[in-house]
Amino acid sequence: MGGEIKGLIKVCLSVLASLCYSYFIVSKIPKGKFRLLSLLPIFSLFVALPLFLSTAILSGITAFFITWLATFRLALFSFDLGPLSTGSPKSLLVFIAIACLPIKIKPNQQHPSRQEPHKPPRLPLNFAVKVLAFGVFIGFYQYKELVHPKIFLGLLCCQVFLFLEVLFSLCSALVRCTMGLEVEQPSDEPYLSTSLQDFWGRRWNLMVTNLLRHTVYKPVKSAAETVMSERWSPLPAVVATFLVSGLMHELLFYYVNRVSPSWEMTSFFVLHGVCLVVEVGVKSVFSGRWRLHWAASVPLTVGFVVATSFWLFFPPLIRAGADMRVMEEVKVLLEPMREKIPLLPLLNSTREQLLLFDLSGRHK
C-alpha cells in the first residue's frame, strides 16, 4: 500500500506539472500544428502514468481521467477548440479541473428541458439511492458462486453503471463546492433509452459522448464530405467514433488487467456503431409514418445493450479476474468500517451458512 501511495503522488504531481505547462506556456503558442507538437511529450507521459499504479481501481480511474479525457481535451486545446479553449478566460484551478475530471460545465444560458410526451417517465434515482444500491450490490457480490452466471452478469452490469454514476457525481460535487461552477449531469437515465441513438447520443456518459463528437465524429464527417454526399457522410463518422471508443476501452482495461487485449470490447462498440447506422436508416424510411411506443422500445433497446455486453463487453474482464480484483480492493477500503457497520459481518456470516447449505446439498 505504501508503494501505491508513492505512485499516486508521482502521478498527481506529474499531471499537475503537465497542466501548468499547458496553461502557462502552451497557451501562448499559436494554435495549430506547433501547439500540437508542444503537447506530444505530455500525451506520451499521460499514456504511461497508469503503469505507475498497481491497483485496478486507481489504474482504471487514472487511465480514464488522464490518458483518455485529459489527452483528448488537450488535443482539442491545441487547435483552440473544446472546453479548454482560450476564448473564455479560466483560472489555473478551473483549467485543471476541466482538463482531467469527467465534467461538462453548463453554458451561461441554460433552459430547462420539458418532458416530451413520447418519452418514458423519469425515475427518482438520486445520488443517495445510487450509493445505497451500489453498497447492496457489493454485498450481493459475495454470493457469486451461488448465483446463476447470467444473473451475476446482470448484477455486474448494474454495479458498473452505479459505480460510474457515483464517481461522476462526486467529481461534479467537488467542482461545484470548490469552484462554484454548475456542471451538467453525467448521464440522463440510460435505462430509459428508447433507441440506440437515444442511449449513446443523449443519455449514456454524455461527457464522453460530447468529447468524441468533437475529436472524432466532426473531423471524420468533414473528411468524408470531400468524397461523398453530405447525406451519407455521418455514417462513416459514426462507425469511426465507436471504433475509437472501443480502442480506448481496450486500452483502459489493459491498464486494469495487464493482459493482451482480446478485441472483444472493440467488437462490442463497432457492432453498436453499425447497428446505430442501420437504426438511423430505418428511422429515415419510416419517418413520420410509424413509431414504436416507449413501452416497447425501452425494453428492446436496453435488452440489446445488456445482451451484447454479456456477449462481448464483460467476458474479458471476468476471464482476467478484474471484477474480483476490484471487489477485493473495495473490501480493503471498507475494512475499517466493519465494526461500525453491523451489516457487513452479518452478510459474511449469512454467506458462509448458505455456502455450507449449498455444498451439503451437492454432496447428497
Side-chain angles (χ1 to χ4, degrees):
M1 183 59 71
E4 189 73 355
I5 294 175
K6 291 181 180 178
L8 182 61
I9 293 174
K10 291 179 181 178
V11 168
C12 293
L13 292 177
S14 299
V15 172
L16 181 61
S18 300
L19 294 178
C20 287
Y21 161 75
S22 302
Y23 182 82
F24 290 111
I25 299 177
V26 175
S27 61
K28 303 300 187 295
I29 301 174
K31 65 180 180 180
K33 60 182 179 181
F34 292 109
R35 186 184 289 188
L36 179 63
L37 288 174
S38 69
L39 287 169
L40 290 182
I42 304 300
F43 297 158
S44 301
L45 175 64
F46 283 2
V47 171
L49 284 180
L51 299 176
F52 288 91
L53 303 167
S54 59
T55 57
I57 294 178
L58 289 180
S59 298
I61 292 176
T62 302
F64 181 45
F65 286 15
I66 307 303
T67 307
W68 189 348
L69 299 184
T71 299
F72 277 45
R73 285 168 176 166
L74 287 175
L76 288 174
F77 175 66
S78 64
F79 298 96
D80 209 24
L81 300 171
L84 298 176
S85 63
T86 56
S88 55
K90 304 174 185 66
S91 66
L92 175 61
L93 187 60
V94 172
F95 183 89
I96 293 173
I98 295 176
C100 59
L101 290 180
I103 58 171
K104 184 174 183 291
I105 306 299
K106 283 185 177 181
N108 293 330
Q109 300 295 327
Q110 188 73 15
H111 301 285
S113 59
R114 292 179 299 176
Q115 186 72 29
E116 298 181 27
H118 65 273
K119 293 292 184 181
R122 302 181 68 87
L123 299 179
L125 290 184
N126 55 27
F127 178 73
V129 173
K130 291 173 183 177
V131 171
L132 179 61
F134 180 67
V136 170
F137 281 120
I138 290 177
F140 276 114
Y141 206 92
Q142 301 176 85
Y143 307 101
K144 176 181 178 180
E145 55 270 42
L146 302 177
V147 177
H148 190 278
K150 298 299 182 183
I151 298 178
F152 168 73
L153 283 173
L155 295 174
L156 183 59
C157 186
C158 295
Q159 191 172 351
V160 169
F161 164 70
L162 291 170
F163 174 76
L164 292 177
E165 285 287 296
V166 170
L167 179 64
F168 292 170
S169 297
L170 289 175
C171 293
S172 299
L174 175 65
V175 171
R176 191 180 301 112
C177 294
T178 57
M179 295 172 237
L181 298 174
E182 287 297 323
V183 298
E184 297 185 357
Q185 291 294 325
S187 296
D188 184 18
E189 299 185 315
Y191 40 81
L192 297 179
S193 301
T194 56
S195 65
L196 289 178
Q197 190 176 16
D198 188 34
F199 179 86
W200 292 111
R202 294 185 287 268
R203 287 188 177 272
W204 172 248
N205 209 343
L206 299 177
M207 172 266 312
V208 170
T209 297
N210 183 70
L211 187 60
L212 288 173
R213 182 181 293 116
H214 290 286
T215 54
V216 182
Y217 176 81
K218 288 184 177 180
V220 174
K221 182 176 180 293
S222 299
E225 288 176 352
T226 62
V227 295
M228 61 178 64
S229 66
E230 186 177 354
R231 177 184 178 184
W232 299 105
S233 60
L235 303 186
V238 168
V239 176
T241 301
F242 277 87
L243 174 62
V244 170
S245 180
L247 293 175
M248 291 307 300
H249 278 82
E250 295 280 5
L251 180 61
L252 294 184
F253 289 113
Y254 169 76
Y255 291 124
V256 173
N257 300 329
R258 306 295 166 92
V259 297
S260 299
S262 63
W263 307 113
E264 290 168 273
M265 289 187 181
T266 302
S267 301
F268 169 82
F269 284 96
V270 171
L271 172 64
H272 276 253
V274 172
C275 291
L276 196 151
V277 167
V278 173
E279 179 187 270
V280 171
V282 172
K283 284 182 178 180
S284 65
V285 172
F286 293 98
S287 177
R289 289 183 289 172
W290 183 74
R291 186 171 191 169
L292 277 176
H293 190 270
W294 66 263
S297 60
V298 168
L300 288 174
T301 302
V302 176
F304 179 79
V305 173
V306 171
T308 51
S309 68
F310 286 5
W311 174 33
L312 294 171
F313 190 87
F314 289 113
L317 294 179
I318 296 174
R319 285 198 305 268
D323 58 324
M324 297 303 299
R325 285 183 59 201
V326 170
M327 294 311 303
E328 290 300 322
E329 292 171 11
V330 170
K331 288 180 181 179
V332 172
L333 293 175
L334 294 178
E335 189 65 27
M337 302 170 58
R338 285 176 58 88
E339 296 180 358
K340 298 180 181 180
I341 304 179
L343 181 60
L344 295 179
L346 178 61
L347 284 173
N348 288 333
S349 175
T350 306
R351 173 178 176 271
E352 293 173 0
Q353 294 176 15
L354 286 175
L355 278 174
L356 290 174
F357 176 78
D358 183 65
L359 291 174
S360 62
R362 292 178 184 178
H363 179 71
K364 292 179 181 179

